[in-house]
């Protein structure tokens, strides 16, 4: 039985959907609240010490979090001022260390918490990612997931020797083939019977049951066996974000969980419905896709106490850091506009910034946006919707999202690290449990996929495209078949 649908006839509240909470962070001093590293209550500068991550994992485990979700990038924001200088100076998602490294240490001190990291399909060969992620799935006992991104920062592509970012839709087409190479390695290389472990006869594995994958597609060519024996999930749990046409097509094919943007349930609900419909069109169970939104909760024991925390955080917020972030995600250089000058259509490209911001905020008719105001908006929680108040107030906000947007969970954004999540654990989680929205703690250790779909469901669902690459159904002619299909699509 899935944790998301557990019911107790003696308690009507227990019949509600059980939501999943991810702690959203990055392996660096600052994530989405630039400047808070200066806050005496913030421990972002301690992230370079492994003990920080051990304590962090224990906190999230205590609160019953589904996963610690670590973002990643290979390049910094370089739009503001035409360079990366202010990104470095303000620690706006910079520096960023490799998020895969602390996972093993955190897994060693937890048994329920999952770990998900972002990695791009555009920046390394699939073989290398397959080996690293199989390793992490082993070391976490199956508590591992991957946030699939295609990459978009020009600086990240320059870091691997390309002058420009690959075209948006082409990135998704390449990623589709990338995933199919991974499925061949994860699902189709090792037979379930390959590991014999016969010490008496000096046989660890039967090489005849470890298939050599020979892939030659439109974008990738590889000949190799998978170097890692089957991990607890074989394929890590698959997250993906992207609601463009190409992104939605990719998500409905490959994702088991998706991140959807929007500042209100009304904005988000149509996107969720469209995603679920896309799954149904491909023969997948539309309810199997777990949909998350970002939310920045700022909690106090009372609404007034929460508002005081907001005012305190504003003292440390970086004006330029916020502009660096907004400039980076919109591609518009806000350094060219004086801080207190209203952005208008007359400014080169500035009409785009309003369109972008209006998709995140409910601005009143005629509201004036200046770079300073834009920065204040971005410096507390980035572009995530805010929920400020007591546990009851914040839980009310979350319940409206669940009911009106048909979502399954939240990517929670912190302001002060890890204090924001301490507040979630101590204040919010008990309120969510009281309402029947949040699962009680269990001593049972489950894989990430089992936490979502129920005990015993460790592997990809039968209606998932990755299941067609399993060892017992995989055919050696699939690489050629895929290459021919790709060429036909190119002609079309």
């Amino acid at each position: 039985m899935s944790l998301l649908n557990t019911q107790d006839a003696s308690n009507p509240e227990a019949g509600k959907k059980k939501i999943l909470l991810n702690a959203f962070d990055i392996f660096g001093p600052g994530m989405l609240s630039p400047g808070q590293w200066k806050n005496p209550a913030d421990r972002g500068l301690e992230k370079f010490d492994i003990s920080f991550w051990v304590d962090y994992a224990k906190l999230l485990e205590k609160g019953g979090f589904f996963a610690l979700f670590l973002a990643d990038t290979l390049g910094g924001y370089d739009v503001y001022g035409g360079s990366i200088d202010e990104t470095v100076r303000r620690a706006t998602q910079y520096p960023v260390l490799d998020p895969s490294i602390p996972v093993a240490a955190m897994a060693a001190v937890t048994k329920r918490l999952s770990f998900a990291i972002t990695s791009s399909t555009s920046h390394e060969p699939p073989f290398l990612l397959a080996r690293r992620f199989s390793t992490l799935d082993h070391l976490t006992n199956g508590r591992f997931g991957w946030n699939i991104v295609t990459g978009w920062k020009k600086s990240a592509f320059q870091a691997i020797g390309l002058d420009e970012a690959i075209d948006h839709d082409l990135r998704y087409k390449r990623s589709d083939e990338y995933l199919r190479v991974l499925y061949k390695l994860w699902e189709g290389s090792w037979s379930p019977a390959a590991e014999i472990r016969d010490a008496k006869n000096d046989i660890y594995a039967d090489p005849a049951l470890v298939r050599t994958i020979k892939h030659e597609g439109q974008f990738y060519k590889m000949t190799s066996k998978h170097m890692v024996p089957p991990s607890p999930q074989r394929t890590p749990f698959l997250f993906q974000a992207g609601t463009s046409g190409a992104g939605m097509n990719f998500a409905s094919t490959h994702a088991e969980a998706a991140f959807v943007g929007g500042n209100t349930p009304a904005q988000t609900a149509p996107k969720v419905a469209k995603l679920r419909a896309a799954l149904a069109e491909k023969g997948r169970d539309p309810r199997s896709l777990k949909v998350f939104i970002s939310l920045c909760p700022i909690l106090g024991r009372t609404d007034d106490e929460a508002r005081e925390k907001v005012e305190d955080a504003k003292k440390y917020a970086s004006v330029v850091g916020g502009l660096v972030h907004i400039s980076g995600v919109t591609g518009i250089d806000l350094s060219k506009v004086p801080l207190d000058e209203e952005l208008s259509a007359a400014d080169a490209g500035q009409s785009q910034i309003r369109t972008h911001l209006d998709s995140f905020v409910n601005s009143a008719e005629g509201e004036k946006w200046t770079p300073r105001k834009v920065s204040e908006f971005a410096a507390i929680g980035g572009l995530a919707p805010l929920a400020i108040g007591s546990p009851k107030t914040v839980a009310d906000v979350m319940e409206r999202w669940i009911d009106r947007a048909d979502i399954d969970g939240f990517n929670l954004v912190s302001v002060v690290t890890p204090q924001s999540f301490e507040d979630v654990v101590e204040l919010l989680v008990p309120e969510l449990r009281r309402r029947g929205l949040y699962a009680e703690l269990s001593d049972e250790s489950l894989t990430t996929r089992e936490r979502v779909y129920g005990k015993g469901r460790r592997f990809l669902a039968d209606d998932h495209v990755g299941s067609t690459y399993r060892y017992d159904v995989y055919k050696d002619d699939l690489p050629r078949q895929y290459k021919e299909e790709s060429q036909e699509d190119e002609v079309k």
Side-chain angles (χ1 to χ4, degrees), residues 53-341:
W53 295 102
V54 169
D55 291 343
Y56 205 177
K58 289 179 179 178
L59 168 68
L60 300 177
E61 173 108 325
K62 175 184 175 184
F65 273 69
F66 174 51
L68 171 58
F69 189 93
L70 293 173
D72 194 25
T73 180
L74 295 183
Y77 295 119
D78 58 2
V79 175
Y80 187 85
S83 79
I84 199 173
D85 288 356
E86 290 298 340
T87 300
V88 176
R89 182 173 287 116
R90 314 295 172 172
T92 304
Q93 295 181 26
Y94 205 97
V96 179
L97 284 68
D98 187 335
S100 66
I101 303 302
V103 168
M106 293 189 287
V109 298
T110 57
K111 64 178 182 179
R112 295 180 301 272
L113 181 67
S114 288
F115 307 93
I117 64 176
T118 296
S119 190
S120 171
T121 56
S122 298
H123 297 137
E124 67 177 318
F127 177 85
L128 297 180
L129 183 141
R131 185 178 73 151
R132 185 169 72 256
F133 284 6
S134 289
T135 301
L136 288 169
D137 199 49
H138 273 296
L139 294 179
T140 60
N141 291 320
R143 293 180 288 134
F144 183 68
W146 172 28
N147 178 36
I148 308 163
V149 298
T150 64
W152 57 272
K153 291 178 184 172
K154 180 179 178 180
S155 58
F157 282 91
Q158 290 176 328
I160 61 167
L162 300 178
D163 292 334
E164 298 289 340
I166 299 170
D167 175 73
H168 177 273
D169 286 5
L170 180 60
R171 294 201 304 268
Y172 277 106
K173 190 172 184 180
R174 286 166 54 97
S175 292
D176 180 78
E177 184 178 339
Y178 193 104
L179 264 292
R180 293 170 192 271
V181 176
L182 293 176
Y183 297 143
K184 291 173 185 178
L185 291 167
W186 286 331
E187 301 287 336
S189 185
W190 286 67
S191 163
E195 287 185 279
I196 298 172
R197 301 186 181 185
D198 182 353
K200 182 178 180 180
N201 293 298
D202 191 25
I203 301 174
Y204 171 74
D206 183 350
L209 297 179
V210 184
R211 177 185 285 119
T212 296
I213 304 301
K214 298 178 180 179
H215 176 91
E216 185 174 351
Q218 184 179 1
F219 304 107
Y220 298 100
K221 182 178 181 180
M222 182 196 69
T223 301
S224 181
K225 299 179 186 294
H226 190 30
M227 289 195 72
V228 185
S231 65
Q233 299 182 112
R234 281 195 178 249
T235 296
F237 188 78
L238 302 174
F239 294 88
Q240 197 266 340
T243 51
S244 66
M248 190 167 293
N249 180 58
F250 184 90
S252 60
T253 301
H254 299 286
E256 297 171 285
F259 304 114
V260 176
N263 191 60
T264 67
Q267 288 177 343
T268 304
K271 300 176 185 178
V272 177
K274 191 174 181 180
L275 263 174
R276 297 201 192 280
L279 261 77
E281 289 174 4
K282 294 185 178 179
R284 295 180 64 192
D285 176 3
R287 306 308 308 179
S288 69
L289 183 73
K290 303 309 172 186
V291 181
F292 292 76
I293 64 147
S294 292
L295 184 73
C296 181
I298 303 176
L299 288 145
R301 297 190 182 279
T302 65
D303 289 350
D304 286 342
E305 183 179 292
R307 286 190 285 267
E308 288 173 6
K309 288 184 178 181
V310 175
E311 293 307 310
D312 185 64
K314 287 180 179 179
K315 299 174 186 176
Y316 305 98
S318 172
V319 172
V320 174
L323 294 176
V324 165
H325 181 210
I326 289 289
S327 294
V329 299
T330 62
I332 299 168
D333 184 359
L334 291 177
S335 72
K336 296 179 178 179
V337 183
L339 277 176
D340 297 306
E341 180 178 303

Side-chain angles (χ1 to χ4, degrees), residues 442-484:
S442 168
D443 289 333
E444 192 168 21
S445 181
L446 301 174
T447 67
T448 302
R449 199 167 276 114
E450 287 176 312
R451 281 284 301 273
V452 174
Y453 300 122
K455 187 176 181 180
R457 298 181 64 180
R458 293 185 294 137
F459 304 123
L460 290 171
D462 291 342
D463 63 4
H464 190 283
V465 65
S467 69
T468 64
Y469 295 90
R470 289 173 181 158
Y471 186 88
D472 57 345
V473 297
Y474 173 83
K475 302 298 181 184
D476 286 337
D477 64 348
L478 281 179
R480 292 189 295 275
Q481 175 188 339
Y482 181 75
K483 184 178 181 182
E484 290 165 2

Side-chain angles (χ1 to χ4, degrees), residues 397-410:
V397 171
M398 297 174 79
E399 196 153 13
R400 283 196 295 273
W401 274 100
I402 297 163
D403 293 341
R404 299 177 188 178
D406 188 26
I407 64 167
D408 303 287
F410 297 86

